[in-house]
Amino acid sequence: RVTINRIWQRYFGRGLVATSDDFGKQGELPSHSELLDWLAHEFRTQGWSLKHIHRLILTSSVYRQASAIRNDLTEIDPDNRWLARQHRARVEAEIVRDLALDAGALLSHRVGGPSVRPPQPSEYASLTYANSAQWNTSSGDDKYRRGLYTFFQRTSPYPMLITFDSPDSTQCVTQRSRSNTPLQALTLWNDRVFNECAQRLALRVLTEVPTDSGSGKRSEVLRRARIEYLFLTCLSRYPTDSEYQSVTKYLESQLSQLTENQENANAIVGERPFPKTVATSTAAAWVALGRVVLNLDEFITKE
């Protein structure tokens, strides 16, 4: 029951027993006691298979509900205790970076092995006592491993994880707090890891969507196809008409500015191997657009 309750809490923000850290007599009673009993029985009879339980919950109608606030529930069930809608929440700290890496086709899917040290601000480790925390950035695919494998330095934990509410290693918690701060937006916008993900995302868009050197309608069709591909890759949906107009306007604005400033365009593109047929200013404009999409609330939020 404890295991099932914590799995349920991960998906719905609140366990069937709300006090997941106190499952005894002083804790709250289950909101759906029969459901908790049935899932616990299913877990045991299926050989303690976590995959089976996760699949069972994810394919249920209660999980597949929309998370939009319903006016008819604001008074009778403001905390969504009766599960009449889905729970809207930002993904956990480790997954924020994973999503960006996956969008840029950088994420390493290797399972197991020692912890890794992804890139972080070079001056961060020097803040520790006597510069005791040496952070030697991992190389190759180890730089792009899932956040789960990030080495946790107690005296100077990986800053991106702490920014997105990952608990430190000094205590055990059964439920993470979730904050919404300007520093989180600044991290998604400026962190070198997310900049690299934006560069690789732009590379995907410019190489995986068939190129077309035509003009007029043919050029417009290509641009729309690329924008739709960008939205599908990051948000799993097509842009609305108003979104498409806003994105197009932004893309044209960036292209105009970067065409006049090649130095900035080169800095934005970095060392990404863009096709020679793509102008540097064009590549930089798509990188800028990729950064915008990766910084959207929708990109890191489970609806």
Side-chain angles (χ1 to χ4, degrees), residues 31-68:
S31 59
H32 302 71
S33 57
E34 292 184 0
L35 174 60
L36 180 61
D37 288 346
W38 180 77
L39 285 172
H41 179 267
E42 188 76 8
F43 184 37
R44 186 184 63 183
T45 57
Q46 294 298 322
W48 311 101
S49 172
L50 288 172
K51 285 187 177 180
H52 174 73
I53 293 299
H54 284 293
R55 184 181 296 110
L56 195 62
I57 294 175
L58 290 172
T59 56
S60 67
S61 58
V62 66
Y63 179 82
R64 292 183 289 170
Q65 296 179 108
S67 61

PDB file of all heavy atoms in Angstrom, residues 31-68:
ATOM      1  N   SER A  31      -8.472   8.469   0.585  1.00  0.00           N
ATOM      2  CA  SER A  31      -9.635   9.058  -0.085  1.00  0.00           C
ATOM      3  C   SER A  31     -10.389   8.003  -0.880  1.00  0.00           C
ATOM      4  O   SER A  31     -11.600   8.114  -1.078  1.00  0.00           O
ATOM      5  CB  SER A  31      -9.179  10.182  -1.016  1.00  0.00           C
ATOM      6  OG  SER A  31      -8.267   9.683  -1.988  1.00  0.00           O
ATOM      7  N   HIS A  32      -9.678   6.966  -1.329  1.00  0.00           N
ATOM      8  CA  HIS A  32     -10.291   5.870  -2.088  1.00  0.00           C
ATOM      9  C   HIS A  32      -9.687   4.567  -1.550  1.00  0.00           C
ATOM     10  O   HIS A  32      -8.766   3.995  -2.147  1.00  0.00           O
ATOM     11  CB  HIS A  32     -10.007   6.005  -3.585  1.00  0.00           C
ATOM     12  CG  HIS A  32     -10.486   7.282  -4.200  1.00  0.00           C
ATOM     13  ND1 HIS A  32      -9.908   8.493  -3.949  1.00  0.00           N
ATOM     14  CD2 HIS A  32     -11.509   7.521  -5.067  1.00  0.00           C
ATOM     15  CE1 HIS A  32     -10.530   9.439  -4.621  1.00  0.00           C
ATOM     16  NE2 HIS A  32     -11.514   8.884  -5.311  1.00  0.00           N
ATOM     17  N   SER A  33     -10.195   4.117  -0.436  1.00  0.00           N
ATOM     18  CA  SER A  33      -9.597   2.960   0.239  1.00  0.00           C
ATOM     19  C   SER A  33      -9.700   1.682  -0.588  1.00  0.00           C
ATOM     20  O   SER A  33      -8.758   0.882  -0.641  1.00  0.00           O
ATOM     21  CB  SER A  33     -10.251   2.755   1.606  1.00  0.00           C
ATOM     22  OG  SER A  33     -11.659   2.593   1.470  1.00  0.00           O
ATOM     23  N   GLU A  34     -10.831   1.481  -1.265  1.00  0.00           N
ATOM     24  CA  GLU A  34     -10.990   0.264  -2.058  1.00  0.00           C
ATOM     25  C   GLU A  34     -10.049   0.255  -3.256  1.00  0.00           C
ATOM     26  O   GLU A  34      -9.527  -0.791  -3.634  1.00  0.00           O
ATOM     27  CB  GLU A  34     -12.443   0.129  -2.514  1.00  0.00           C
ATOM     28  CG  GLU A  34     -13.421  -0.135  -1.368  1.00  0.00           C
ATOM     29  CD  GLU A  34     -14.842  -0.351  -1.870  1.00  0.00           C
ATOM     30  OE1 GLU A  34     -15.051  -0.299  -3.108  1.00  0.00           O
ATOM     31  OE2 GLU A  34     -15.738  -0.567  -1.038  1.00  0.00           O
ATOM     32  N   LEU A  35      -9.829   1.434  -3.859  1.00  0.00           N
ATOM     33  CA  LEU A  35      -8.893   1.532  -4.979  1.00  0.00           C
ATOM     34  C   LEU A  35      -7.477   1.223  -4.507  1.00  0.00           C
ATOM     35  O   LEU A  35      -6.734   0.496  -5.178  1.00  0.00           O
ATOM     36  CB  LEU A  35      -8.952   2.927  -5.593  1.00  0.00           C
ATOM     37  CG  LEU A  35      -7.937   3.236  -6.692  1.00  0.00           C
ATOM     38  CD1 LEU A  35      -8.092   2.278  -7.870  1.00  0.00           C
ATOM     39  CD2 LEU A  35      -8.089   4.685  -7.157  1.00  0.00           C
ATOM     40  N   LEU A  36      -7.094   1.751  -3.359  1.00  0.00           N
ATOM     41  CA  LEU A  36      -5.770   1.480  -2.811  1.00  0.00           C
ATOM     42  C   LEU A  36      -5.599  -0.007  -2.533  1.00  0.00           C
ATOM     43  O   LEU A  36      -4.554  -0.600  -2.862  1.00  0.00           O
ATOM     44  CB  LEU A  36      -5.552   2.298  -1.529  1.00  0.00           C
ATOM     45  CG  LEU A  36      -4.202   2.135  -0.833  1.00  0.00           C
ATOM     46  CD1 LEU A  36      -3.066   2.569  -1.735  1.00  0.00           C
ATOM     47  CD2 LEU A  36      -4.179   2.926   0.472  1.00  0.00           C
ATOM     48  N   ASP A  37      -6.610  -0.624  -1.956  1.00  0.00           N
ATOM     49  CA  ASP A  37      -6.543  -2.066  -1.667  1.00  0.00           C
ATOM     50  C   ASP A  37      -6.427  -2.869  -2.957  1.00  0.00           C
ATOM     51  O   ASP A  37      -5.634  -3.819  -3.045  1.00  0.00           O
ATOM     52  CB  ASP A  37      -7.795  -2.506  -0.898  1.00  0.00           C
ATOM     53  CG  ASP A  37      -7.796  -2.011   0.540  1.00  0.00           C
ATOM     54  OD1 ASP A  37      -6.731  -1.563   1.003  1.00  0.00           O
ATOM     55  OD2 ASP A  37      -8.862  -2.060   1.179  1.00  0.00           O
ATOM     56  N   TRP A  38      -7.223  -2.515  -3.961  1.00  0.00           N
ATOM     57  CA  TRP A  38      -7.218  -3.273  -5.212  1.00  0.00           C
ATOM     58  C   TRP A  38      -5.869  -3.155  -5.922  1.00  0.00           C
ATOM     59  O   TRP A  38      -5.322  -4.149  -6.410  1.00  0.00           O
ATOM     60  CB  TRP A  38      -8.338  -2.775  -6.128  1.00  0.00           C
ATOM     61  CG  TRP A  38      -8.369  -3.523  -7.435  1.00  0.00           C
ATOM     62  CD1 TRP A  38      -8.862  -4.781  -7.657  1.00  0.00           C
ATOM     63  CD2 TRP A  38      -7.846  -3.066  -8.686  1.00  0.00           C
ATOM     64  NE1 TRP A  38      -8.692  -5.134  -8.974  1.00  0.00           N
ATOM     65  CE2 TRP A  38      -8.071  -4.102  -9.628  1.00  0.00           C
ATOM     66  CE3 TRP A  38      -7.233  -1.897  -9.104  1.00  0.00           C
ATOM     67  CZ2 TRP A  38      -7.692  -3.994 -10.965  1.00  0.00           C
ATOM     68  CZ3 TRP A  38      -6.853  -1.772 -10.432  1.00  0.00           C
ATOM     69  CH2 TRP A  38      -7.078  -2.808 -11.335  1.00  0.00           C
ATOM     70  N   LEU A  39      -5.326  -1.940  -5.964  1.00  0.00           N
ATOM     71  CA  LEU A  39      -4.023  -1.758  -6.616  1.00  0.00           C
ATOM     72  C   LEU A  39      -2.920  -2.504  -5.870  1.00  0.00           C
ATOM     73  O   LEU A  39      -2.018  -3.082  -6.482  1.00  0.00           O
ATOM     74  CB  LEU A  39      -3.690  -0.268  -6.710  1.00  0.00           C
ATOM     75  CG  LEU A  39      -4.446   0.537  -7.757  1.00  0.00           C
ATOM     76  CD1 LEU A  39      -4.151   2.026  -7.610  1.00  0.00           C
ATOM     77  CD2 LEU A  39      -4.090   0.076  -9.171  1.00  0.00           C
ATOM     78  N   ALA A  40      -2.967  -2.481  -4.548  1.00  0.00           N
ATOM     79  CA  ALA A  40      -1.978  -3.208  -3.752  1.00  0.00           C
ATOM     80  C   ALA A  40      -2.083  -4.712  -4.005  1.00  0.00           C
ATOM     81  O   ALA A  40      -1.070  -5.412  -4.144  1.00  0.00           O
ATOM     82  CB  ALA A  40      -2.173  -2.902  -2.267  1.00  0.00           C
ATOM     83  N   HIS A  41      -3.336  -5.214  -4.091  1.00  0.00           N
ATOM     84  CA  HIS A  41      -3.535  -6.642  -4.390  1.00  0.00           C
ATOM     85  C   HIS A  41      -3.038  -6.969  -5.793  1.00  0.00           C
ATOM     86  O   HIS A  41      -2.398  -8.006  -6.020  1.00  0.00           O
ATOM     87  CB  HIS A  41      -5.026  -6.983  -4.244  1.00  0.00           C
ATOM     88  CG  HIS A  41      -5.345  -8.408  -4.559  1.00  0.00           C
ATOM     89  ND1 HIS A  41      -5.745  -8.816  -5.825  1.00  0.00           N
ATOM     90  CD2 HIS A  41      -5.310  -9.534  -3.788  1.00  0.00           C
ATOM     91  CE1 HIS A  41      -5.943 -10.124  -5.818  1.00  0.00           C
ATOM     92  NE2 HIS A  41      -5.698 -10.572  -4.587  1.00  0.00           N
ATOM     93  N   GLU A  42      -3.314  -6.080  -6.762  1.00  0.00           N
ATOM     94  CA  GLU A  42      -2.859  -6.285  -8.130  1.00  0.00           C
ATOM     95  C   GLU A  42      -1.330  -6.289  -8.189  1.00  0.00           C
ATOM     96  O   GLU A  42      -0.726  -7.091  -8.906  1.00  0.00           O
ATOM     97  CB  GLU A  42      -3.412  -5.169  -9.024  1.00  0.00           C
ATOM     98  CG  GLU A  42      -3.182  -5.359 -10.509  1.00  0.00           C
ATOM     99  CD  GLU A  42      -4.109  -6.395 -11.131  1.00  0.00           C
ATOM    100  OE1 GLU A  42      -5.033  -6.860 -10.435  1.00  0.00           O
ATOM    101  OE2 GLU A  42      -3.899  -6.728 -12.309  1.00  0.00           O
ATOM    102  N   PHE A  43      -0.716  -5.415  -7.443  1.00  0.00           N
ATOM    103  CA  PHE A  43       0.748  -5.332  -7.396  1.00  0.00           C
ATOM    104  C   PHE A  43       1.341  -6.650  -6.898  1.00  0.00           C
ATOM    105  O   PHE A  43       2.305  -7.175  -7.466  1.00  0.00           O
ATOM    106  CB  PHE A  43       1.133  -4.172  -6.470  1.00  0.00           C
ATOM    107  CG  PHE A  43       2.608  -3.897  -6.379  1.00  0.00           C
ATOM    108  CD1 PHE A  43       3.449  -4.024  -7.476  1.00  0.00           C
ATOM    109  CD2 PHE A  43       3.162  -3.503  -5.173  1.00  0.00           C
ATOM    110  CE1 PHE A  43       4.804  -3.756  -7.387  1.00  0.00           C
ATOM    111  CE2 PHE A  43       4.516  -3.227  -5.060  1.00  0.00           C
ATOM    112  CZ  PHE A  43       5.337  -3.356  -6.172  1.00  0.00           C
ATOM    113  N   ARG A  44       0.744  -7.214  -5.857  1.00  0.00           N
ATOM    114  CA  ARG A  44       1.269  -8.451  -5.289  1.00  0.00           C
ATOM    115  C   ARG A  44       1.025  -9.649  -6.196  1.00  0.00           C
ATOM    116  O   ARG A  44       1.923 -10.462  -6.439  1.00  0.00           O
ATOM    117  CB  ARG A  44       0.623  -8.695  -3.915  1.00  0.00           C
ATOM    118  CG  ARG A  44       1.209  -9.888  -3.171  1.00  0.00           C
ATOM    119  CD  ARG A  44       0.469 -10.126  -1.872  1.00  0.00           C
ATOM    120  NE  ARG A  44      -0.928 -10.475  -2.100  1.00  0.00           N
ATOM    121  CZ  ARG A  44      -1.811 -10.681  -1.130  1.00  0.00           C
ATOM    122  NH1 ARG A  44      -1.457 -10.522   0.140  1.00  0.00           N
ATOM    123  NH2 ARG A  44      -3.068 -10.998  -1.413  1.00  0.00           N
ATOM    124  N   THR A  45      -0.199  -9.769  -6.731  1.00  0.00           N
ATOM    125  CA  THR A  45      -0.540 -10.940  -7.543  1.00  0.00           C
ATOM    126  C   THR A  45       0.164 -10.947  -8.892  1.00  0.00           C
ATOM    127  O   THR A  45       0.302 -12.005  -9.515  1.00  0.00           O
ATOM    128  CB  THR A  45      -2.060 -11.014  -7.769  1.00  0.00           C
ATOM    129  OG1 THR A  45      -2.507  -9.795  -8.376  1.00  0.00           O
ATOM    130  CG2 THR A  45      -2.782 -11.211  -6.438  1.00  0.00           C
ATOM    131  N   GLN A  46       0.624  -9.781  -9.350  1.00  0.00           N
ATOM    132  CA  GLN A  46       1.342  -9.707 -10.625  1.00  0.00           C
ATOM    133  C   GLN A  46       2.858  -9.783 -10.425  1.00  0.00           C
ATOM    134  O   GLN A  46       3.630  -9.292 -11.249  1.00  0.00           O
ATOM    135  CB  GLN A  46       0.981  -8.413 -11.355  1.00  0.00           C
ATOM    136  CG  GLN A  46      -0.465  -8.333 -11.807  1.00  0.00           C
ATOM    137  CD  GLN A  46      -0.817  -9.422 -12.813  1.00  0.00           C
ATOM    138  OE1 GLN A  46      -0.016  -9.774 -13.676  1.00  0.00           O
ATOM    139  NE2 GLN A  46      -2.022  -9.964 -12.696  1.00  0.00           N
ATOM    140  N   GLY A  47       3.264 -10.398  -9.334  1.00  0.00           N
ATOM    141  CA  GLY A  47       4.684 -10.620  -9.104  1.00  0.00           C
ATOM    142  C   GLY A  47       5.454  -9.368  -8.758  1.00  0.00           C
ATOM    143  O   GLY A  47       6.626  -9.238  -9.105  1.00  0.00           O
ATOM    144  N   TRP A  48       4.804  -8.429  -8.089  1.00  0.00           N
ATOM    145  CA  TRP A  48       5.436  -7.172  -7.677  1.00  0.00           C
ATOM    146  C   TRP A  48       5.987  -6.406  -8.883  1.00  0.00           C
ATOM    147  O   TRP A  48       7.063  -5.797  -8.832  1.00  0.00           O
ATOM    148  CB  TRP A  48       6.555  -7.407  -6.660  1.00  0.00           C
ATOM    149  CG  TRP A  48       6.148  -8.290  -5.520  1.00  0.00           C
ATOM    150  CD1 TRP A  48       6.442  -9.605  -5.370  1.00  0.00           C
ATOM    151  CD2 TRP A  48       5.352  -7.929  -4.389  1.00  0.00           C
ATOM    152  NE1 TRP A  48       5.885 -10.094  -4.218  1.00  0.00           N
ATOM    153  CE2 TRP A  48       5.212  -9.081  -3.585  1.00  0.00           C
ATOM    154  CE3 TRP A  48       4.749  -6.744  -3.973  1.00  0.00           C
ATOM    155  CZ2 TRP A  48       4.491  -9.081  -2.404  1.00  0.00           C
ATOM    156  CZ3 TRP A  48       4.037  -6.742  -2.784  1.00  0.00           C
ATOM    157  CH2 TRP A  48       3.915  -7.899  -2.021  1.00  0.00           C
ATOM    158  N   SER A  49       5.260  -6.451  -9.978  1.00  0.00           N
ATOM    159  CA  SER A  49       5.709  -5.811 -11.217  1.00  0.00           C
ATOM    160  C   SER A  49       5.370  -4.325 -11.215  1.00  0.00           C
ATOM    161  O   SER A  49       4.200  -3.936 -11.315  1.00  0.00           O
ATOM    162  CB  SER A  49       5.056  -6.484 -12.435  1.00  0.00           C
ATOM    163  OG  SER A  49       5.346  -5.760 -13.618  1.00  0.00           O
ATOM    164  N   LEU A  50       6.387  -3.476 -11.122  1.00  0.00           N
ATOM    165  CA  LEU A  50       6.172  -2.031 -11.178  1.00  0.00           C
ATOM    166  C   LEU A  50       5.693  -1.610 -12.565  1.00  0.00           C
ATOM    167  O   LEU A  50       4.879  -0.699 -12.704  1.00  0.00           O
ATOM    168  CB  LEU A  50       7.465  -1.300 -10.823  1.00  0.00           C
ATOM    169  CG  LEU A  50       7.880  -1.367  -9.343  1.00  0.00           C
ATOM    170  CD1 LEU A  50       9.269  -0.789  -9.161  1.00  0.00           C
ATOM    171  CD2 LEU A  50       6.881  -0.620  -8.470  1.00  0.00           C
ATOM    172  N   LYS A  51       6.218  -2.253 -13.602  1.00  0.00           N
ATOM    173  CA  LYS A  51       5.782  -1.925 -14.959  1.00  0.00           C
ATOM    174  C   LYS A  51       4.285  -2.135 -15.118  1.00  0.00           C
ATOM    175  O   LYS A  51       3.598  -1.337 -15.764  1.00  0.00           O
ATOM    176  CB  LYS A  51       6.549  -2.776 -15.985  1.00  0.00           C
ATOM    177  CG  LYS A  51       7.982  -2.338 -16.217  1.00  0.00           C
ATOM    178  CD  LYS A  51       8.613  -3.125 -17.353  1.00  0.00           C
ATOM    179  CE  LYS A  51      10.017  -2.628 -17.638  1.00  0.00           C
ATOM    180  NZ  LYS A  51      10.655  -3.380 -18.750  1.00  0.00           N
ATOM    181  N   HIS A  52       3.795  -3.213 -14.550  1.00  0.00           N
ATOM    182  CA  HIS A  52       2.362  -3.496 -14.656  1.00  0.00           C
ATOM    183  C   HIS A  52       1.542  -2.397 -13.980  1.00  0.00           C
ATOM    184  O   HIS A  52       0.539  -1.926 -14.541  1.00  0.00           O
ATOM    185  CB  HIS A  52       2.050  -4.848 -14.015  1.00  0.00           C
ATOM    186  CG  HIS A  52       0.587  -5.168 -13.942  1.00  0.00           C
ATOM    187  ND1 HIS A  52      -0.152  -5.520 -15.059  1.00  0.00           N
ATOM    188  CD2 HIS A  52      -0.294  -5.145 -12.890  1.00  0.00           C
ATOM    189  CE1 HIS A  52      -1.406  -5.723 -14.711  1.00  0.00           C
ATOM    190  NE2 HIS A  52      -1.518  -5.503 -13.405  1.00  0.00           N
ATOM    191  N   ILE A  53       1.966  -1.959 -12.802  1.00  0.00           N
ATOM    192  CA  ILE A  53       1.228  -0.923 -12.076  1.00  0.00           C
ATOM    193  C   ILE A  53       1.284   0.411 -12.810  1.00  0.00           C
ATOM    194  O   ILE A  53       0.276   1.112 -12.953  1.00  0.00           O
ATOM    195  CB  ILE A  53       1.778  -0.776 -10.643  1.00  0.00           C
ATOM    196  CG1 ILE A  53       1.490  -2.043  -9.833  1.00  0.00           C
ATOM    197  CG2 ILE A  53       1.185   0.444  -9.954  1.00  0.00           C
ATOM    198  CD1 ILE A  53       0.003  -2.354  -9.688  1.00  0.00           C
ATOM    199  N   HIS A  54       2.464   0.765 -13.297  1.00  0.00           N
ATOM    200  CA  HIS A  54       2.588   2.022 -14.041  1.00  0.00           C
ATOM    201  C   HIS A  54       1.706   1.998 -15.293  1.00  0.00           C
ATOM    202  O   HIS A  54       1.021   2.969 -15.602  1.00  0.00           O
ATOM    203  CB  HIS A  54       4.050   2.255 -14.437  1.00  0.00           C
ATOM    204  CG  HIS A  54       4.912   2.718 -13.303  1.00  0.00           C
ATOM    205  ND1 HIS A  54       4.755   3.946 -12.701  1.00  0.00           N
ATOM    206  CD2 HIS A  54       5.943   2.116 -12.655  1.00  0.00           C
ATOM    207  CE1 HIS A  54       5.658   4.078 -11.742  1.00  0.00           C
ATOM    208  NE2 HIS A  54       6.384   2.978 -11.684  1.00  0.00           N
ATOM    209  N   ARG A  55       1.722   0.886 -16.006  1.00  0.00           N
ATOM    210  CA  ARG A  55       0.901   0.778 -17.221  1.00  0.00           C
ATOM    211  C   ARG A  55      -0.581   0.844 -16.871  1.00  0.00           C
ATOM    212  O   ARG A  55      -1.376   1.483 -17.575  1.00  0.00           O
ATOM    213  CB  ARG A  55       1.217  -0.532 -17.950  1.00  0.00           C
ATOM    214  CG  ARG A  55       0.486  -0.687 -19.286  1.00  0.00           C
ATOM    215  CD  ARG A  55       0.803  -2.007 -19.958  1.00  0.00           C
ATOM    216  NE  ARG A  55       2.210  -2.106 -20.312  1.00  0.00           N
ATOM    217  CZ  ARG A  55       3.065  -2.930 -19.714  1.00  0.00           C
ATOM    218  NH1 ARG A  55       2.658  -3.716 -18.729  1.00  0.00           N
ATOM    219  NH2 ARG A  55       4.326  -2.969 -20.085  1.00  0.00           N
ATOM    220  N   LEU A  56      -0.951   0.212 -15.777  1.00  0.00           N
ATOM    221  CA  LEU A  56      -2.352   0.193 -15.345  1.00  0.00           C
ATOM    222  C   LEU A  56      -2.845   1.607 -15.045  1.00  0.00           C
ATOM    223  O   LEU A  56      -3.943   2.005 -15.450  1.00  0.00           O
ATOM    224  CB  LEU A  56      -2.473  -0.690 -14.102  1.00  0.00           C
ATOM    225  CG  LEU A  56      -3.872  -1.141 -13.679  1.00  0.00           C
ATOM    226  CD1 LEU A  56      -4.512  -1.988 -14.762  1.00  0.00           C
ATOM    227  CD2 LEU A  56      -3.780  -1.933 -12.379  1.00  0.00           C
ATOM    228  N   ILE A  57      -2.024   2.387 -14.359  1.00  0.00           N
ATOM    229  CA  ILE A  57      -2.416   3.748 -14.008  1.00  0.00           C
ATOM    230  C   ILE A  57      -2.416   4.654 -15.234  1.00  0.00           C
ATOM    231  O   ILE A  57      -3.350   5.439 -15.456  1.00  0.00           O
ATOM    232  CB  ILE A  57      -1.479   4.309 -12.919  1.00  0.00           C
ATOM    233  CG1 ILE A  57      -1.654   3.526 -11.614  1.00  0.00           C
ATOM    234  CG2 ILE A  57      -1.748   5.789 -12.675  1.00  0.00           C
ATOM    235  CD1 ILE A  57      -0.685   3.932 -10.514  1.00  0.00           C
ATOM    236  N   LEU A  58      -1.370   4.548 -16.049  1.00  0.00           N
ATOM    237  CA  LEU A  58      -1.231   5.445 -17.196  1.00  0.00           C
ATOM    238  C   LEU A  58      -2.304   5.231 -18.253  1.00  0.00           C
ATOM    239  O   LEU A  58      -2.643   6.154 -18.997  1.00  0.00           O
ATOM    240  CB  LEU A  58       0.153   5.272 -17.830  1.00  0.00           C
ATOM    241  CG  LEU A  58       1.337   5.802 -17.008  1.00  0.00           C
ATOM    242  CD1 LEU A  58       2.652   5.404 -17.647  1.00  0.00           C
ATOM    243  CD2 LEU A  58       1.258   7.303 -16.871  1.00  0.00           C
ATOM    244  N   THR A  59      -2.830   4.026 -18.350  1.00  0.00           N
ATOM    245  CA  THR A  59      -3.861   3.753 -19.350  1.00  0.00           C
ATOM    246  C   THR A  59      -5.276   3.905 -18.795  1.00  0.00           C
ATOM    247  O   THR A  59      -6.247   3.671 -19.508  1.00  0.00           O
ATOM    248  CB  THR A  59      -3.698   2.319 -19.910  1.00  0.00           C
ATOM    249  OG1 THR A  59      -3.715   1.376 -18.829  1.00  0.00           O
ATOM    250  CG2 THR A  59      -2.396   2.184 -20.680  1.00  0.00           C
ATOM    251  N   SER A  60      -5.399   4.298 -17.545  1.00  0.00           N
ATOM    252  CA  SER A  60      -6.716   4.457 -16.942  1.00  0.00           C
ATOM    253  C   SER A  60      -7.369   5.760 -17.399  1.00  0.00           C
ATOM    254  O   SER A  60      -6.694   6.718 -17.779  1.00  0.00           O
ATOM    255  CB  SER A  60      -6.602   4.446 -15.411  1.00  0.00           C
ATOM    256  OG  SER A  60      -5.903   5.596 -14.965  1.00  0.00           O
ATOM    257  N   SER A  61      -8.675   5.813 -17.316  1.00  0.00           N
ATOM    258  CA  SER A  61      -9.394   7.023 -17.727  1.00  0.00           C
ATOM    259  C   SER A  61      -9.155   8.166 -16.754  1.00  0.00           C
ATOM    260  O   SER A  61      -9.175   9.336 -17.147  1.00  0.00           O
ATOM    261  CB  SER A  61     -10.894   6.724 -17.832  1.00  0.00           C
ATOM    262  OG  SER A  61     -11.401   6.259 -16.592  1.00  0.00           O
ATOM    263  N   VAL A  62      -8.889   7.860 -15.492  1.00  0.00           N
ATOM    264  CA  VAL A  62      -8.671   8.930 -14.520  1.00  0.00           C
ATOM    265  C   VAL A  62      -7.354   9.658 -14.805  1.00  0.00           C
ATOM    266  O   VAL A  62      -7.255  10.870 -14.629  1.00  0.00           O
ATOM    267  CB  VAL A  62      -8.688   8.369 -13.077  1.00  0.00           C
ATOM    268  CG1 VAL A  62      -7.519   7.430 -12.833  1.00  0.00           C
ATOM    269  CG2 VAL A  62      -8.670   9.500 -12.056  1.00  0.00           C
ATOM    270  N   TYR A  63      -6.350   8.923 -15.285  1.00  0.00           N
ATOM    271  CA  TYR A  63      -5.072   9.570 -15.599  1.00  0.00           C
ATOM    272  C   TYR A  63      -5.174  10.389 -16.881  1.00  0.00           C
ATOM    273  O   TYR A  63      -4.543  11.437 -17.011  1.00  0.00           O
ATOM    274  CB  TYR A  63      -3.959   8.530 -15.744  1.00  0.00           C
ATOM    275  CG  TYR A  63      -2.624   9.147 -16.098  1.00  0.00           C
ATOM    276  CD1 TYR A  63      -1.813   9.709 -15.119  1.00  0.00           C
ATOM    277  CD2 TYR A  63      -2.184   9.198 -17.420  1.00  0.00           C
ATOM    278  CE1 TYR A  63      -0.598  10.301 -15.439  1.00  0.00           C
ATOM    279  CE2 TYR A  63      -0.979   9.791 -17.747  1.00  0.00           C
ATOM    280  CZ  TYR A  63      -0.195  10.331 -16.759  1.00  0.00           C
ATOM    281  OH  TYR A  63       1.000  10.923 -17.076  1.00  0.00           O
ATOM    282  N   ARG A  64      -5.974   9.943 -17.819  1.00  0.00           N
ATOM    283  CA  ARG A  64      -6.041  10.591 -19.138  1.00  0.00           C
ATOM    284  C   ARG A  64      -7.016  11.764 -19.188  1.00  0.00           C
ATOM    285  O   ARG A  64      -7.345  12.249 -20.263  1.00  0.00           O
ATOM    286  CB  ARG A  64      -6.407   9.549 -20.193  1.00  0.00           C
ATOM    287  CG  ARG A  64      -5.290   8.519 -20.426  1.00  0.00           C
ATOM    288  CD  ARG A  64      -5.656   7.544 -21.523  1.00  0.00           C
ATOM    289  NE  ARG A  64      -6.705   6.631 -21.097  1.00  0.00           N
ATOM    290  CZ  ARG A  64      -7.339   5.803 -21.919  1.00  0.00           C
ATOM    291  NH1 ARG A  64      -7.048   5.799 -23.199  1.00  0.00           N
ATOM    292  NH2 ARG A  64      -8.285   5.009 -21.454  1.00  0.00           N
ATOM    293  N   GLN A  65      -7.438  12.254 -18.041  1.00  0.00           N
ATOM    294  CA  GLN A  65      -8.313  13.423 -18.005  1.00  0.00           C
ATOM    295  C   GLN A  65      -7.524  14.705 -18.278  1.00  0.00           C
ATOM    296  O   GLN A  65      -6.308  14.750 -18.127  1.00  0.00           O
ATOM    297  CB  GLN A  65      -8.971  13.541 -16.620  1.00  0.00           C
ATOM    298  CG  GLN A  65      -9.893  12.405 -16.259  1.00  0.00           C
ATOM    299  CD  GLN A  65     -10.470  12.605 -14.868  1.00  0.00           C
ATOM    300  OE1 GLN A  65     -11.638  12.905 -14.719  1.00  0.00           O
ATOM    301  NE2 GLN A  65      -9.649  12.443 -13.848  1.00  0.00           N
ATOM    302  N   ALA A  66      -8.245  15.747 -18.656  1.00  0.00           N
ATOM    303  CA  ALA A  66      -7.629  17.067 -18.802  1.00  0.00           C
ATOM    304  C   ALA A  66      -7.382  17.657 -17.419  1.00  0.00           C
ATOM    305  O   ALA A  66      -8.087  17.343 -16.457  1.00  0.00           O
ATOM    306  CB  ALA A  66      -8.534  17.986 -19.615  1.00  0.00           C
ATOM    307  N   SER A  67      -6.383  18.527 -17.338  1.00  0.00           N
ATOM    308  CA  SER A  67      -6.037  19.132 -16.051  1.00  0.00           C
ATOM    309  C   SER A  67      -6.642  20.522 -15.872  1.00  0.00           C
ATOM    310  O   SER A  67      -6.395  21.178 -14.863  1.00  0.00           O
ATOM    311  CB  SER A  67      -4.518  19.227 -15.909  1.00  0.00           C
ATOM    312  OG  SER A  67      -3.983  20.044 -16.941  1.00  0.00           O
ATOM    313  N   ALA A  68      -7.412  20.979 -16.846  1.00  0.00           N
ATOM    314  CA  ALA A  68      -7.992  22.322 -16.767  1.00  0.00           C
ATOM    315  C   ALA A  68      -8.900  22.454 -15.547  1.00  0.00           C
ATOM    316  O   ALA A  68      -9.638  21.527 -15.190  1.00  0.00           O
ATOM    317  CB  ALA A  68      -8.781  22.627 -18.040  1.00  0.00           C
TER     318      ALA A  68
END
